Amino acid sequence: MAQLPLANAYSDDAACAIKAPGNAADRLQPRAFQYEMLEESLRGNVVVAMDTGSGKTLIAILRIQAELERAAPEKLVWFLAPHVELATQQAKVIAAQIPSVQTRLLVGADGVEHWGEQWIWDEILLGIRVVISTHQVLLDALIHGFVQMLVTELSRLRIGLNIEQDPYVKKMRAYPASCDSVKLQKAILGRKTYCQEQLKNLSTRAGTIWTELGAWAADWYINACIRKFQLGIESNSTDFYSFDEGEKVYLEQCLSSILAGITKESLLLITDAGLSGKVLHLIEFLASCQTSDFTGLLFVRTRAEVAVLAQLLAVYPRTKALYNVGTFVGASSSASRKGNIGDLVDVRRQIDTLDDLRIGRKNLVITTSALEEGIDVTACNTVICFDKPPNLKSVIQRRGRARQSESTFVIMLAENDDASIITTWKQLEEKMQQQYMDEMRQLQELETTEEAEEGYREFIVEKTGAKLLLADAVSHLYHFCATLTSGPSSNRAPVFMFHAAGEELLTARVSLPISVDASVREACGKSAWSTEKMAKRDAAFEAYVQLYHAVLISDNLLPIKAFDEAITEIKSEIAKVPSLVEVAGQFNPWCLVARQWHASTDSSGLHCFEVSLDCNHELVAAMQMLLPCPLPPIPIVPLYWNALTTFRARIYPCSRLMANSIDRDIAARSTALLLCSIFRHRMDAEKTDFVALFVPSKGEDPNQWTERLAGTINADKLKQIDLSTLSVNKLGIIRDQSQNGTPYVLNGFQIGSGQHEVDPTGGQQDKGTGDDEAGLLLQVSRFPKRTDFLHKVSEHNQRAPTKTYKELLKPESCEVDKLPLPYSYSAAMVPSILHRVGVHLVAAHLCNSLLAATVFEDLGLVLTAITTSAAQEPTNYQRQEFLGDSVLKFLTSLTLASEHLRWPEGHLTRAKDHIVSNASLAKAALAVGLDSFIVTETFTGAKWKPLYTTDQIIASTGQRRQLSTKTLADVVEALVGAAFIDGGFAKAIAILRIFLPRVLWSDVGDRNEVLYSGYQASTTSITYPPHFSQLEQLVGYTFQLKSLALEALTDSSYIGSNVTTSYERLEFLGDVCLDIIVSTTSFNHEPPMRTHGLHLIRSAVVNADFLAFLCLNLHGSVARANFTTGNKLNDVSLSETSVPIQIWNFMRHASSFIRQAQQDVLKRYESIRMPVLQSLQNGPHIPWALLARLDAPKFFSDIVESLIGAIYIDSHGSLSACEAFLDKLGVMGYLRRLLQGGVALYHPKEELGQLADTESVRYEVFREGGEEKRLGCVVWVGEREVARVGDGVSVLEVETRAAEEAGRVLKGEMDGGMKKRKLDE
C-alpha cells in the first residue's frame, strides 16, 4: 500500500502557479531566501505559505527532492493543487525539475473513481515517487485506504470528510418518517455526530500531546489508538460494544489511511529532537533523583498523557533501566458510556498497579486526578505534577500522597506561569488537610459497604481459556444483543425484571430480543441478592452461558461471526480480485485427439462416423470420418451456404469393423484429396497427419477412390462428351488457369455468345467472351471464398451476396477437378463441421473429468453452460445462468437455515451472500480448473488450415487469456442451472459439491425434514389464537404447525408471551422460495424468453412495492352485526354486514411506527387501488409509478415472504403449496400475463435513458411548500427541462413519475417527426 512521508509539499491556491519552462531541460534556480524557507520547512515540518510570485513552487520542488533522499523507497511524495489545470501545469514543472524519479499526474478525467481495488492503485503507483493531483483525489484514496498518510494530516483528513456518509446521518436519512429534521440539520451543520466527535477528539488530543510531549509522542499515540481500535472491532472487544457496525466501518476507513506513515523503526528510535522541552526537563529530574528506594507518582492532566508518558519512559534510553512504570486512571461510572478511540489505558490491566507499587515491583505510577483521593496508595517519597494543579484541593490531595519522611513534591511550571499561587496553597494546606482526611475515611467506609455485596463466579472455556466473570456479564450480554440485526421499530437491548425473594433479597430474570431463538431467549439468576446490580449480573451471567451452549457465542466468549468454520475458511482464501483475471487458454480437444493418434499404431482402435450433407432433404454428399476416440451425440449442424440456401450436416457412428478395415495411410491420402480441392494453398504438402480422416462412404474402396478422382482434366475435352447426358454434379470444380486457377462451379453450357450478368454488389463485370465469338462456353459461378458456414449470412451483407452470379468461360483455358463437386461442398464445410465437433468434445471431456460425479443425460446443457455469448455459438449460458442463480440461492439458503436452526436472520443472510458471491464462485471455478473449459473463441474460418496432429500438440501449451470474474461465476451458476434441468435438485447439489465442497450440501428432502422437526420440537407450548384460522382462510392454506403462522406475522418489536421468534428467519427462506418459483416458471415458458426479459420479469414480480400492494389487496371478510333500536321495548332491528380483513391485520408488534405506517399506507392504497388493478389486468405497462406512490415500508413485503417460508416448512418443502399461495395472492396470474407478452417491461427511468439516446438524463428532486411537505422532481434531458411533477410522497415516486412523463414527451416528439417526414415525402 502506498505511503506518504511525514511532511508533504503542496500548493493551496491558484496563485501559486508559476510559468512552466518551455524546455524541459531548463532548470529553476533557487535564491537565498528560498533556501532559508526550505531549511525552516525541514527543521519544523511546516507548510510554507508565501505570496504570489515569491517562488513557493520551487521551494516545494526542493522539499520534494529532500524528502525523496531521506524517505524510504516505498513512500510517496504527494503534491496537491486546487484544480486540474494547475495540477497539470505543476506536473510538467516537477517532472522537468526532478527527472531522476517517476512522477504521475492523477485527475478525475483519469477515471480515478473507478479504481475500487487495492491492486489497481498498487499497479498504477508502482515505481512512482511523486504524485501530483487535486485534493479530492488524495482524499478519496485516503478515505478508502488505498494510500496512507502520517499523523500530521489527521486534522485535514477529518475536515474533508463527507458528513453525508456519516452513519448517524445515513441512518436518519434512511427513516424519514421518524427523523427529526431539525436535529439532523444541526448535526450536519455543526458536524455534531458521534463519529465526527471521535475524530475531532482524537485530533485534539494528538495536537495536545504534540505540544506537551513532542512529535514522537504524538506519532506513538496516534499509532497506538488506531491499532487498538482496529484490533477491538476485529475481536468484538467490549470496549467498543456500543458502537454499531456502521460506526465501526466508517471510523476504521477514516483512520486506517494514516497508519502506514508511522514506521515501527521511528517509534522505537527516540531522539531529543522528537521530545518537547518539558519532557526533557522531566527526564532530567527523574535521572537525577533516582535511588534504590524511589517510590513516586506523576500526575498529568489527561488519560492520553498517562499512556504516552508511560511508553516514553519505558523506552527512553536514560529512563528505561531506572524506572518500572505503571499507570492508573479512573473508570467510567456509566454503563451506557460508549468507547473512545482516543482512550489507550485499559482499566482492567491496572488492577495490580497499586499493589505492585506497594511491594516495589513498580517504582513510578503515572496517573490523572484519579489517585488524588478515594484510593489507598502506598506512601511515596516523590510526587510530581507535570502541570500546574487546577485548584487548591488538588494540591493538597497530591501533596498528601508524598507521606514518607523527607519526601519531595514537585510542580512543573512554565517560565511565564505565576508562581505566587504556590505560596498561597502552602498557607491553606494545613487548614484543609484535616477536612480532606475526614472525607477519605468516609469514602473508605462507603467502599467497604459496597464490597460486602460483591460476589464471584466465573465460566471458563477449556478450549481457549476464555473467562466470563460475574462482573463482566452485563456488558457482554449488551454486546451480543447489539450484534443482532433488526428493523427500525425493534429494541435490541436485553430486558431485566426483578422479583422479591424474601424480605430484603431479589432475584432477576432477563429477556433477550425476540429475534433470538426461544430456547435461549430467557434466563434467571441462580441466587438471591440484596441489590439489583448483583441480581442483574447474575441473570446476565446465566444468559450468556446459555448462549454459549447454544453455539451463538464463540469459544472466545464473543458473538459468533455470520459464518461457520467452513465458510470462514472459504472467506479467508478469497482475496479481492480484479474484474479481469488471467486464466488458462481455451481447452483444445484436438490436442487429446492428436495424442490418441500418436498412441495408436494401427486401425484397430479407430471409430468411424458417417458425415452426410443434405439440402432441402436431398442428400448432397456423404463421407466417413475416422477418429481415434468416440464422439458424443452431436445434433444436426445447420450450414448456411448463403442467405437462401442451408445445408444440414448429420454425424452419427458407423460400425467399428468398418473402421478397422481401413488403412490409415490410404485414409490420409483420401483426406488430402478431399481438402486439397478447397484448401490446396493452405496445406502442407509434406504432412498427412490429419486429426480427422475422411474416406468415401457406401463401402467404396478408399484407395481406388483416391486413385480414380485425383488430379484434373482439361475442360476442352468436354466438347467430346454428349452434353445432354452429362450431369454437372459429376464434374468437379472448374479452375480458370488464366486467373491462377480461380475455382468455379459449373452451372451448364452455352453455345455461342450471350448476355453477361454484372455483380450488383459493385464488383467488376463478369469474365466472358465477346459477342462476336461463337462455340461451346462454360456457364459458371464463383465458388465462395467463405469458410465459416456456421453463422447466417445477412441479405444485406455485400461481401457475401445471396445470389451466385454467372460467368462464361472458354473450356480451353480451364481445368476440371476429377473429384465431383458434392465432395468439394463437403470439403468447404469441413472447418465448420470440425469446429462443432470440437466444442462437443470440450463439453464431453468436462463431463468425463471435472463433472464425472454428475452424470449428465443431455450434453447440450453442459455445452450451453460453458459457452459465452462472445463465442457466437447457437446457444450460450445466459438463460441457464438466470435459472442457476435462483437454484444456487435456494439451496444455499435451505442448507444454512437447516444447518443453523438457532442462527438469526442477519447471520444467515451474510453467510448466504458470501457463498453465492461472484468472488466465491470465481475462486471456486479457478480452483477446480473450470476456466479452461469456458468457450469464448468465435469461429470465423478465417485463414483456416487443415488440423495436423503435430501442430495441435505444440499449439496446446502455454496459452493464457483473460476472463472477467463475473464470467467465471456465471458459468458456475449456468452449470448449476444445467444440472437442475437435467436432474432436478439432486444433480444441482452434485454440481455444488464439486465447486463448493466445504459447504455441507445434502438432499433437499433431508433438509426439509430437519427444518420441520426443528420447528415442531420448539413449538409444543405455543397456543394458536383462534382468530388466526381466518388467516389460513385468507392465504388458502391450513397449517399443521400452527406456530409457523404465528411466527410469520410476528415483528421483532413484539413483546409478550406465546411466541417462538420473529419472522426474519422465515422471510429469509421465503425470499428464495419466491425467487425460484418465479424463475422456474419464467424459464420454462414457451416460447423461451430472452435472458434480459427474464430478468425484467423477475424484478417486476418480486418487487417489494408490488408484493406490498398484493398483500393489501388480498382480503377476506368477517361477518359483523349492525343494529338500530326503536322507541319501544324490544324494538331492535338487526342486520349483518361484512368487515374486510387483510394479511397485515394479523401482524403482531409493539411499535407505534408500524402502527402509523400501516394506517398511512392503507390511505395511499385506497387512492391507487383501482388504477393499479386496471393496469395489472390489461394495462400496456407495469404500473411502476403508482406502486412507488404506495411507498410501503419493507415489512409489508416481508410478511408475504415469511408466509411463503412458513408454508414451505409446514408442507415439508412443497414449492407447489407455496405457488398456490402466490396464485391466490395474484403473483402467478400477473407473472403469466407478463410472460404472454404485450406488457412493456422496462422501468420508466430505464426507458427514458434509452429514449434520450446519447443525451444525459438528470433528476432534480425538491421539496414543495405546504404543511404536508410533498416532493417534486424535474427531469432534464441534455440541457432542457422535459418534465416536472409534484405532490410526491417519496423520492422514488417523483423520479418514476417524472421519468414516465418525460418518456411520453420524447415519444410524442419522435412520432411528430415521423409524421412530418411522411408528409414531406
Side-chain angles (χ1 to χ4, degrees), residues 855-876:
V855 181
F856 275 92
E857 300 294 333
D858 187 350
L859 181 69
L861 292 171
V862 178
L863 179 57
T864 296
I866 62 175
T867 303
T868 65
S869 58
Q872 297 184 33
E873 292 292 313
T875 59
N876 61 61

PDB file of all heavy atoms in Angstrom, residues 855-876:
ATOM      1  N   VAL A 855     -23.665 -37.202 -13.524  1.00  0.00           N
ATOM      2  CA  VAL A 855     -23.882 -37.881 -14.809  1.00  0.00           C
ATOM      3  C   VAL A 855     -24.960 -37.118 -15.574  1.00  0.00           C
ATOM      4  O   VAL A 855     -26.147 -37.204 -15.266  1.00  0.00           O
ATOM      5  CB  VAL A 855     -24.300 -39.345 -14.595  1.00  0.00           C
ATOM      6  CG1 VAL A 855     -24.496 -40.026 -15.942  1.00  0.00           C
ATOM      7  CG2 VAL A 855     -23.261 -40.069 -13.754  1.00  0.00           C
ATOM      8  N   PHE A 856     -24.528 -36.367 -16.581  1.00  0.00           N
ATOM      9  CA  PHE A 856     -25.469 -35.594 -17.394  1.00  0.00           C
ATOM     10  C   PHE A 856     -26.065 -36.480 -18.488  1.00  0.00           C
ATOM     11  O   PHE A 856     -25.343 -37.181 -19.205  1.00  0.00           O
ATOM     12  CB  PHE A 856     -24.773 -34.393 -18.021  1.00  0.00           C
ATOM     13  CG  PHE A 856     -24.708 -33.189 -17.128  1.00  0.00           C
ATOM     14  CD1 PHE A 856     -23.614 -32.975 -16.304  1.00  0.00           C
ATOM     15  CD2 PHE A 856     -25.743 -32.267 -17.103  1.00  0.00           C
ATOM     16  CE1 PHE A 856     -23.547 -31.860 -15.481  1.00  0.00           C
ATOM     17  CE2 PHE A 856     -25.694 -31.151 -16.289  1.00  0.00           C
ATOM     18  CZ  PHE A 856     -24.594 -30.948 -15.468  1.00  0.00           C
ATOM     19  N   GLU A 857     -27.364 -36.401 -18.609  1.00  0.00           N
ATOM     20  CA  GLU A 857     -28.040 -37.087 -19.703  1.00  0.00           C
ATOM     21  C   GLU A 857     -27.980 -36.276 -20.987  1.00  0.00           C
ATOM     22  O   GLU A 857     -27.916 -36.830 -22.078  1.00  0.00           O
ATOM     23  CB  GLU A 857     -29.510 -37.339 -19.329  1.00  0.00           C
ATOM     24  CG  GLU A 857     -29.707 -38.193 -18.090  1.00  0.00           C
ATOM     25  CD  GLU A 857     -29.226 -39.616 -18.280  1.00  0.00           C
ATOM     26  OE1 GLU A 857     -29.226 -40.076 -19.438  1.00  0.00           O
ATOM     27  OE2 GLU A 857     -28.849 -40.257 -17.277  1.00  0.00           O
ATOM     28  N   ASP A 858     -27.999 -34.969 -20.857  1.00  0.00           N
ATOM     29  CA  ASP A 858     -28.042 -34.077 -22.018  1.00  0.00           C
ATOM     30  C   ASP A 858     -26.754 -33.277 -22.066  1.00  0.00           C
ATOM     31  O   ASP A 858     -26.557 -32.321 -21.313  1.00  0.00           O
ATOM     32  CB  ASP A 858     -29.250 -33.143 -21.914  1.00  0.00           C
ATOM     33  CG  ASP A 858     -29.443 -32.300 -23.170  1.00  0.00           C
ATOM     34  OD1 ASP A 858     -28.539 -32.297 -24.041  1.00  0.00           O
ATOM     35  OD2 ASP A 858     -30.489 -31.628 -23.287  1.00  0.00           O
ATOM     36  N   LEU A 859     -25.840 -33.694 -22.948  1.00  0.00           N
ATOM     37  CA  LEU A 859     -24.568 -33.000 -23.079  1.00  0.00           C
ATOM     38  C   LEU A 859     -24.763 -31.560 -23.556  1.00  0.00           C
ATOM     39  O   LEU A 859     -23.975 -30.668 -23.229  1.00  0.00           O
ATOM     40  CB  LEU A 859     -23.657 -33.749 -24.045  1.00  0.00           C
ATOM     41  CG  LEU A 859     -22.267 -33.153 -24.264  1.00  0.00           C
ATOM     42  CD1 LEU A 859     -21.425 -33.302 -23.020  1.00  0.00           C
ATOM     43  CD2 LEU A 859     -21.577 -33.827 -25.456  1.00  0.00           C
ATOM     44  N   GLY A 860     -25.817 -31.318 -24.328  1.00  0.00           N
ATOM     45  CA  GLY A 860     -26.056 -29.975 -24.839  1.00  0.00           C
ATOM     46  C   GLY A 860     -26.233 -28.957 -23.737  1.00  0.00           C
ATOM     47  O   GLY A 860     -25.877 -27.788 -23.900  1.00  0.00           O
ATOM     48  N   LEU A 861     -26.773 -29.375 -22.598  1.00  0.00           N
ATOM     49  CA  LEU A 861     -26.920 -28.455 -21.472  1.00  0.00           C
ATOM     50  C   LEU A 861     -25.560 -28.016 -20.951  1.00  0.00           C
ATOM     51  O   LEU A 861     -25.353 -26.847 -20.597  1.00  0.00           O
ATOM     52  CB  LEU A 861     -27.710 -29.128 -20.349  1.00  0.00           C
ATOM     53  CG  LEU A 861     -29.186 -29.408 -20.633  1.00  0.00           C
ATOM     54  CD1 LEU A 861     -29.786 -30.264 -19.528  1.00  0.00           C
ATOM     55  CD2 LEU A 861     -29.968 -28.101 -20.774  1.00  0.00           C
ATOM     56  N   VAL A 862     -24.615 -28.932 -20.890  1.00  0.00           N
ATOM     57  CA  VAL A 862     -23.268 -28.604 -20.434  1.00  0.00           C
ATOM     58  C   VAL A 862     -22.588 -27.679 -21.429  1.00  0.00           C
ATOM     59  O   VAL A 862     -21.947 -26.691 -21.055  1.00  0.00           O
ATOM     60  CB  VAL A 862     -22.445 -29.880 -20.210  1.00  0.00           C
ATOM     61  CG1 VAL A 862     -21.017 -29.531 -19.782  1.00  0.00           C
ATOM     62  CG2 VAL A 862     -23.113 -30.758 -19.172  1.00  0.00           C
ATOM     63  N   LEU A 863     -22.720 -27.997 -22.717  1.00  0.00           N
ATOM     64  CA  LEU A 863     -22.112 -27.149 -23.738  1.00  0.00           C
ATOM     65  C   LEU A 863     -22.684 -25.740 -23.683  1.00  0.00           C
ATOM     66  O   LEU A 863     -21.946 -24.754 -23.786  1.00  0.00           O
ATOM     67  CB  LEU A 863     -22.329 -27.767 -25.122  1.00  0.00           C
ATOM     68  CG  LEU A 863     -21.771 -26.967 -26.310  1.00  0.00           C
ATOM     69  CD1 LEU A 863     -20.287 -26.731 -26.142  1.00  0.00           C
ATOM     70  CD2 LEU A 863     -22.064 -27.692 -27.617  1.00  0.00           C
ATOM     71  N   THR A 864     -23.983 -25.638 -23.506  1.00  0.00           N
ATOM     72  CA  THR A 864     -24.598 -24.314 -23.383  1.00  0.00           C
ATOM     73  C   THR A 864     -24.067 -23.582 -22.159  1.00  0.00           C
ATOM     74  O   THR A 864     -23.783 -22.373 -22.204  1.00  0.00           O
ATOM     75  CB  THR A 864     -26.126 -24.452 -23.278  1.00  0.00           C
ATOM     76  OG1 THR A 864     -26.622 -25.018 -24.493  1.00  0.00           O
ATOM     77  CG2 THR A 864     -26.789 -23.099 -23.053  1.00  0.00           C
ATOM     78  N   ALA A 865     -23.892 -24.296 -21.051  1.00  0.00           N
ATOM     79  CA  ALA A 865     -23.471 -23.667 -19.798  1.00  0.00           C
ATOM     80  C   ALA A 865     -22.064 -23.105 -19.874  1.00  0.00           C
ATOM     81  O   ALA A 865     -21.746 -22.127 -19.186  1.00  0.00           O
ATOM     82  CB  ALA A 865     -23.569 -24.668 -18.654  1.00  0.00           C
ATOM     83  N   ILE A 866     -21.191 -23.693 -20.692  1.00  0.00           N
ATOM     84  CA  ILE A 866     -19.798 -23.237 -20.735  1.00  0.00           C
ATOM     85  C   ILE A 866     -19.535 -22.304 -21.909  1.00  0.00           C
ATOM     86  O   ILE A 866     -18.390 -21.891 -22.119  1.00  0.00           O
ATOM     87  CB  ILE A 866     -18.833 -24.441 -20.802  1.00  0.00           C
ATOM     88  CG1 ILE A 866     -19.062 -25.258 -22.075  1.00  0.00           C
ATOM     89  CG2 ILE A 866     -18.963 -25.297 -19.554  1.00  0.00           C
ATOM     90  CD1 ILE A 866     -18.064 -26.391 -22.261  1.00  0.00           C
ATOM     91  N   THR A 867     -20.561 -21.970 -22.660  1.00  0.00           N
ATOM     92  CA  THR A 867     -20.383 -21.151 -23.860  1.00  0.00           C
ATOM     93  C   THR A 867     -20.797 -19.719 -23.583  1.00  0.00           C
ATOM     94  O   THR A 867     -21.927 -19.449 -23.178  1.00  0.00           O
ATOM     95  CB  THR A 867     -21.206 -21.708 -25.035  1.00  0.00           C
ATOM     96  OG1 THR A 867     -20.832 -23.075 -25.269  1.00  0.00           O
ATOM     97  CG2 THR A 867     -20.964 -20.894 -26.285  1.00  0.00           C
ATOM     98  N   THR A 868     -19.879 -18.782 -23.793  1.00  0.00           N
ATOM     99  CA  THR A 868     -20.185 -17.376 -23.599  1.00  0.00           C
ATOM    100  C   THR A 868     -20.844 -16.801 -24.846  1.00  0.00           C
ATOM    101  O   THR A 868     -20.752 -17.368 -25.932  1.00  0.00           O
ATOM    102  CB  THR A 868     -18.908 -16.577 -23.297  1.00  0.00           C
ATOM    103  OG1 THR A 868     -18.053 -16.605 -24.453  1.00  0.00           O
ATOM    104  CG2 THR A 868     -18.165 -17.174 -22.112  1.00  0.00           C
ATOM    105  N   SER A 869     -21.471 -15.669 -24.674  1.00  0.00           N
ATOM    106  CA  SER A 869     -22.099 -15.019 -25.829  1.00  0.00           C
ATOM    107  C   SER A 869     -21.065 -14.556 -26.828  1.00  0.00           C
ATOM    108  O   SER A 869     -21.353 -14.445 -28.030  1.00  0.00           O
ATOM    109  CB  SER A 869     -22.944 -13.837 -25.351  1.00  0.00           C
ATOM    110  OG  SER A 869     -22.155 -12.906 -24.641  1.00  0.00           O
ATOM    111  N   ALA A 870     -19.833 -14.282 -26.361  1.00  0.00           N
ATOM    112  CA  ALA A 870     -18.783 -13.821 -27.275  1.00  0.00           C
ATOM    113  C   ALA A 870     -18.417 -14.885 -28.299  1.00  0.00           C
ATOM    114  O   ALA A 870     -17.928 -14.562 -29.383  1.00  0.00           O
ATOM    115  CB  ALA A 870     -17.544 -13.422 -26.473  1.00  0.00           C
ATOM    116  N   ALA A 871     -18.652 -16.151 -27.975  1.00  0.00           N
ATOM    117  CA  ALA A 871     -18.304 -17.226 -28.906  1.00  0.00           C
ATOM    118  C   ALA A 871     -19.243 -17.300 -30.096  1.00  0.00           C
ATOM    119  O   ALA A 871     -18.929 -17.952 -31.093  1.00  0.00           O
ATOM    120  CB  ALA A 871     -18.305 -18.568 -28.168  1.00  0.00           C
ATOM    121  N   GLN A 872     -20.431 -16.684 -30.002  1.00  0.00           N
ATOM    122  CA  GLN A 872     -21.405 -16.648 -31.079  1.00  0.00           C
ATOM    123  C   GLN A 872     -21.808 -18.054 -31.535  1.00  0.00           C
ATOM    124  O   GLN A 872     -21.959 -18.333 -32.723  1.00  0.00           O
ATOM    125  CB  GLN A 872     -20.873 -15.841 -32.267  1.00  0.00           C
ATOM    126  CG  GLN A 872     -20.612 -14.378 -31.940  1.00  0.00           C
ATOM    127  CD  GLN A 872     -20.189 -13.574 -33.152  1.00  0.00           C
ATOM    128  OE1 GLN A 872     -20.624 -13.836 -34.269  1.00  0.00           O
ATOM    129  NE2 GLN A 872     -19.334 -12.592 -32.931  1.00  0.00           N
ATOM    130  N   GLU A 873     -21.956 -18.935 -30.551  1.00  0.00           N
ATOM    131  CA  GLU A 873     -22.452 -20.273 -30.825  1.00  0.00           C
ATOM    132  C   GLU A 873     -23.983 -20.240 -30.850  1.00  0.00           C
ATOM    133  O   GLU A 873     -24.604 -19.240 -30.462  1.00  0.00           O
ATOM    134  CB  GLU A 873     -21.950 -21.235 -29.752  1.00  0.00           C
ATOM    135  CG  GLU A 873     -20.449 -21.473 -29.787  1.00  0.00           C
ATOM    136  CD  GLU A 873     -19.998 -22.241 -31.026  1.00  0.00           C
ATOM    137  OE1 GLU A 873     -20.628 -23.259 -31.356  1.00  0.00           O
ATOM    138  OE2 GLU A 873     -19.029 -21.793 -31.682  1.00  0.00           O
ATOM    139  N   PRO A 874     -24.631 -21.319 -31.286  1.00  0.00           N
ATOM    140  CA  PRO A 874     -26.101 -21.312 -31.337  1.00  0.00           C
ATOM    141  C   PRO A 874     -26.747 -21.040 -29.986  1.00  0.00           C
ATOM    142  O   PRO A 874     -27.844 -20.486 -29.907  1.00  0.00           O
ATOM    143  CB  PRO A 874     -26.440 -22.733 -31.842  1.00  0.00           C
ATOM    144  CG  PRO A 874     -25.230 -23.160 -32.591  1.00  0.00           C
ATOM    145  CD  PRO A 874     -24.067 -22.549 -31.893  1.00  0.00           C
ATOM    146  N   THR A 875     -26.091 -21.447 -28.889  1.00  0.00           N
ATOM    147  CA  THR A 875     -26.625 -21.186 -27.550  1.00  0.00           C
ATOM    148  C   THR A 875     -25.497 -20.653 -26.681  1.00  0.00           C
ATOM    149  O   THR A 875     -24.309 -20.875 -26.967  1.00  0.00           O
ATOM    150  CB  THR A 875     -27.202 -22.454 -26.905  1.00  0.00           C
ATOM    151  OG1 THR A 875     -26.167 -23.443 -26.809  1.00  0.00           O
ATOM    152  CG2 THR A 875     -28.360 -23.008 -27.710  1.00  0.00           C
ATOM    153  N   ASN A 876     -25.863 -19.943 -25.606  1.00  0.00           N
ATOM    154  CA  ASN A 876     -24.877 -19.509 -24.617  1.00  0.00           C
ATOM    155  C   ASN A 876     -25.480 -19.648 -23.227  1.00  0.00           C
ATOM    156  O   ASN A 876     -26.648 -19.979 -23.068  1.00  0.00           O
ATOM    157  CB  ASN A 876     -24.410 -18.076 -24.878  1.00  0.00           C
ATOM    158  CG  ASN A 876     -25.537 -17.057 -24.818  1.00  0.00           C
ATOM    159  OD1 ASN A 876     -26.182 -16.896 -23.783  1.00  0.00           O
ATOM    160  ND2 ASN A 876     -25.795 -16.378 -25.933  1.00  0.00           N
TER     161      ASN A 876
END
